[in-house]
Amino acid sequence: MTRESFEAVVVGCGPGGAAAAATLARNGVETLVLERGVEAGSKNVSGGLIYAEESSPYTIDDLFPGFREAATERPVTEYYLHNVAGRQVKTFDVTQLHEHDTEWSDAVLRRRMDSWLADRVHEMTAETGGGLLTEVRVNGLLRDGGEIVGVTCDELDPIEADLIVAADGVNSELARDAGLMDWEEPEEWFQGVKAVVDVPPEEIDDSFDVGPDEGAAHLFSGDLFGDARGGGFVYTNRDSLSIGTVFHLDSVVETRAEPHELLDALLTHPALGEWLPDEYTEREYSAKLVPDSKKVAHRSPHRDRLVLVGDAAGQMQAQGPIIKGMNHAVTAGALAAEAYVEARSRGDSGLSGELYERKLNDEGVMGKLRPRRYELVRQVGEHDALADVLDTVTRSPVGRLGVRALGDRLERLYSSAFLATMVPDTKTPYVTLPTVIAEELGAPVVEENDVEPPSLEERIGELTYNTDVGNPHIELIDDSIEASGTAVTACPVSAKEFGGGCYREERVGTNGGEQRVVSLDTQPCVECGTCAIVADTEWEHPRGGKGVAFDEG
């Protein structure tokens, strides 16, 4: 078998892969970067805010000078949390939490950001004998005598490397192939859905009361999403808003909530009336899975020559109002590269994985991703019986009295980084407590919101696809409602009574009777991976350059 060979192969050119490749190239390591999209960022979706933490050994602007000026949207200078009960809203200013351990934070759109990073990465890696190739899907790991020694691709011959960096996202096929991550438990994942909405810069400045070089982030929780555990966000870009919702996937499954309807509940709430233009225009609808690092951030993200970084390693921090992912991917990517360079200098590149794991711990990354205080709270606070009692007490007269007694002191509690890392994954902090806070302390919203969001059909019809005819990337193994019916409601481009998405429910005649089954059409797929967890499918990425291509991300 013909094989290519490089010192290092980086799979994926998002922020984690870019950080790894840049650090390797700066140290003279021959590095090949393989990107599945037609352009870096075309397969990527984020909320999204990128942080530079004061405590981090690496920030993205350190690795890529000029990054903020060229690749980001607006600095986030204000951060608010809105507790909602109907039209009643109580807002907390949690900018103090946002600024904790923060050097800076900017809103970003992934297509623009990642493509800019990719240009820098290609220049740097080309100087060491490597480079960046797009439209290449890495489909698995190359093994020799059972040991991981490289990668296999749809479009290229197998490639050997002394270091393989899997920065291929939350749906990482390399992490699964290595047995380091799986898609077995819905409670270990979030699902995010987002709309990018056209708003002129001067209208953003005026309605959010910010300057041209300032921006705001607004989070939402309470009863506007029913009983689903999660919340919504609004982030200001240069000339658009990123508006989205993020929910625990098991909650979406249990409540049979439809992702596009959760998004619409936010878009049409009166609280957004002052920010949205009279002529509402969505540039793009998108979705992705998000790992819950508290549960899945891999404590030992390496095997043989393979290391995992970013979402592929579950390195996404979502703890109360703390939402950080891309900065941890950057740090992890750079640390993985640093570990390889150090191991190589010792004459044993096989030590890279162990050194990387040690650096993640020594630099405090794992402490942020998997805080011990959450582990302690989880053992008690997420026990069903106790969670139900706490929820009942919160809604009771006693709980309401406590909320009124605390009053504006609740704002300080919500602004505590210490307390944020202890928030249990139950209905109380996401739905019940915010609703009670709004009912007891909030004021009615006086604005009106006349926005009519596009239909699901219109949204998926506006996306760009390059369908790989004859090579579907999803196979439905069991089409029964019992095995795969949840995909009909949980899939962001599918819904009950809608026939245009990936999954739909049908009735077919069998042996003189009738049976409810699920059918599949992968053409409108946004490749979020939701159905790989909630349905009985065989799921892989489309071949290089195929499938959906996001213009905003």
Side-chain angles (χ1 to χ4, degrees):
M1 183 182 296
T2 303
R3 297 181 179 182
E4 296 288 336
S5 180
F6 291 84
E7 276 191 272
V9 170
V10 177
V11 183
C13 199
T23 306
L24 289 165
R26 280 200 177 93
N27 286 277
V29 179
E30 180 192 42
T31 305
L32 177 66
V33 184
L34 301 175
E35 165 58 43
R36 185 168 55 90
V38 294
E39 181 182 54
S42 64
K43 293 293 185 181
N44 298 338
V45 175
S46 177
L49 304 183
I50 188 166
Y51 284 79
E53 289 188 325
E54 294 170 348
S55 63
S56 175
Y58 291 98
T59 62
I60 196 163
D61 56 327
D62 289 335
L63 297 172
F64 297 95
F67 169 79
R68 296 185 71 192
E69 296 78 11
T72 71
E73 297 295 311
R74 288 178 184 249
V76 175
T77 52
E78 301 174 1
Y79 203 69
Y80 298 96
L81 175 64
H82 303 278
N83 300 277
V84 180
R87 292 185 70 102
Q88 292 277 119
V89 177
K90 176 61 177 177
T91 298
F92 294 144
D93 184 341
V94 291
T95 305
Q96 177 183 329
L97 175 64
H98 167 69
E99 293 179 345
H100 172 73
D101 193 28
T102 298
E103 184 177 331
W104 56 262
S105 174
D106 290 357
V108 297
L109 293 169
R110 291 295 298 272
R111 181 70 178 259
R112 177 168 175 248
M113 182 185 84
D114 290 7
S115 62
W116 184 87
L117 290 173
D119 288 342
R120 313 284 90 70
V121 165
H122 182 61
E123 292 171 3
M124 297 171 71
T125 54
E127 291 179 359
T128 63
L132 166 67
L133 297 179
T134 59
E135 298 189 67
V136 175
R137 175 194 168 228
V138 175
N139 58 28
L141 295 166
L142 179 67
R143 289 177 169 86
D144 188 351
E147 179 186 356
I148 297 168
V149 297
V151 297
T152 58
C153 312
D154 287 338
E155 296 79 14
L156 303 173
D157 289 333
I159 302 169
E160 287 189 10
D162 294 328
L163 175 72
I164 304 121
V165 179
D168 51 340
V170 68
N171 306 326
S172 172
E173 290 176 273
L174 299 188
R176 285 182 285 149
D177 191 352
L180 294 173
M181 298 287 279
D182 61 50
W183 287 355
E184 299 297 327
E185 306 297 338
E187 61 266 25
E188 296 177 344
W189 307 92
F190 297 93
Q191 184 198 67
V193 175
K194 185 180 78 168
V196 177
V197 181
D198 256 329
V199 184
E202 61 276 8
E203 290 189 22
I204 293 176
D205 297 347
D206 182 57
S207 61
F208 286 88
D209 193 23
V210 295
D213 295 321
E214 297 175 323
H218 292 258
L219 306 182
F220 296 82
S221 59
D223 70 355
L224 74 167
F225 305 115
D227 287 337
R229 302 191 318 279
F233 62 84
V234 176
Y235 301 146
T236 54
N237 303 318
R238 294 183 182 187
D239 57 0
S240 66
L241 300 178
S242 291
I243 304 177
T245 54
V246 182
F247 292 90
H248 287 274
L249 183 56
D250 63 317
S251 182
V252 172
V253 170
E254 290 165 5
T255 61
R256 288 293 190 267
E258 297 190 341
H260 71 287
E261 292 184 346
L262 293 170
L263 174 63
D264 289 348
L266 176 60
L267 285 167
T268 57
H269 193 274
L272 272 65
E274 63 177 311
W275 300 329
L276 297 176
D278 293 334
E279 294 188 11
Y280 177 85
T281 304
E282 282 187 15
R283 291 185 188 174
E284 187 170 79
Y285 172 77
S286 58
K288 71 164 292 184
L289 281 183
V290 182
D292 185 351
S293 73
K294 303 187 302 295
K295 301 170 184 174
V296 299
H298 206 294
R299 299 184 190 277
S300 185
H302 61 91
R303 178 156 297 165
D304 299 331
R305 304 181 190 183
L306 175 72
V307 296
L308 312 180
V309 305
D311 278 0
Q315 295 166 341
M316 166 67 199
Q317 183 184 13
Q319 298 158 7
I322 298 175
I323 306 171
K324 297 179 178 180
M326 289 177 281
N327 61 301
H328 294 311
V330 168
T331 302
L335 289 177
E338 181 185 285
Y340 173 76
V341 173
E342 185 176 329
R344 186 181 64 166
S345 70
R346 298 183 187 182
D348 187 358
S349 60
L351 295 172
S352 300
E354 293 177 16
L355 290 175
Y356 170 52
E357 179 182 343
R358 186 182 309 162
K359 289 175 183 292
L360 288 174
N361 287 285
D362 291 348
E363 295 293 347
V365 178
M366 290 306 297
K368 297 171 186 176
L369 296 173
R370 301 198 72 149
R372 292 185 178 180
R373 61 183 67 99
Y374 167 75
E375 295 289 348
L376 296 174
V377 170
R378 181 186 185 185
Q379 299 301 319
V380 179
E382 293 183 13
H383 188 277
D384 289 344
L386 180 58
D388 290 343
V389 169
L390 290 175
D391 209 62
T392 300
V393 170
T394 302
R395 293 194 305 266
S396 72
V398 173
R400 293 175 182 275
L401 178 63
V403 166
R404 292 196 297 272
L406 285 169
D408 287 339
R409 282 177 291 179
L410 283 165
E411 185 171 273
R412 292 203 301 272
L413 296 177
Y414 271 94
S415 297
S416 167
F418 180 86
L419 293 177
T421 57
M422 299 171 63
V423 176
D425 176 14
T426 65
K427 181 181 171 183
T428 303
Y430 288 105
V431 181
T432 309
L433 180 57
T435 301
V436 170
I437 289 172
E439 290 172 343
E440 298 300 324
L441 305 177
V445 176
V446 297
E447 290 84 4
E448 295 298 330
N449 184 352
D450 298 323
V451 162
E452 295 185 9
S455 67
L456 185 58
E457 184 175 15
E458 291 170 326
R459 282 170 164 157
I460 63 178
E462 288 297 317
L463 291 170
T464 300
Y465 305 95
N466 182 0
T467 303
D468 196 2
V469 178
N471 291 284
H473 66 284
I474 307 173
E475 180 184 354
L476 188 59
I477 303 301
D478 187 336
D479 67 356
S480 69
I481 289 293
E482 293 75 19
S484 301
T486 306
V488 176
T489 52
C491 171
V493 296
S494 302
K496 287 183 72 68
E497 314 304 329
F498 175 61
C502 288
Y503 289 88
R504 45 195 165 268
E505 181 180 330
E506 297 179 343
R507 295 181 180 272
V508 298
T510 55
N511 298 323
E514 191 176 65
Q515 182 180 358
R516 293 163 64 213
V517 299
V518 174
S519 62
L520 169 66
D521 177 1
T522 64
Q523 291 186 76
C525 180
V526 291
E527 300 168 33
C528 64
T530 296
C531 62
I533 301 175
V534 304
D536 188 4
T537 67
E538 288 289 340
W539 197 104
E540 59 184 20
H541 291 109
R543 293 188 298 171
K546 301 296 184 180
V548 69
F550 294 112
D551 295 322
E552 304 287 339

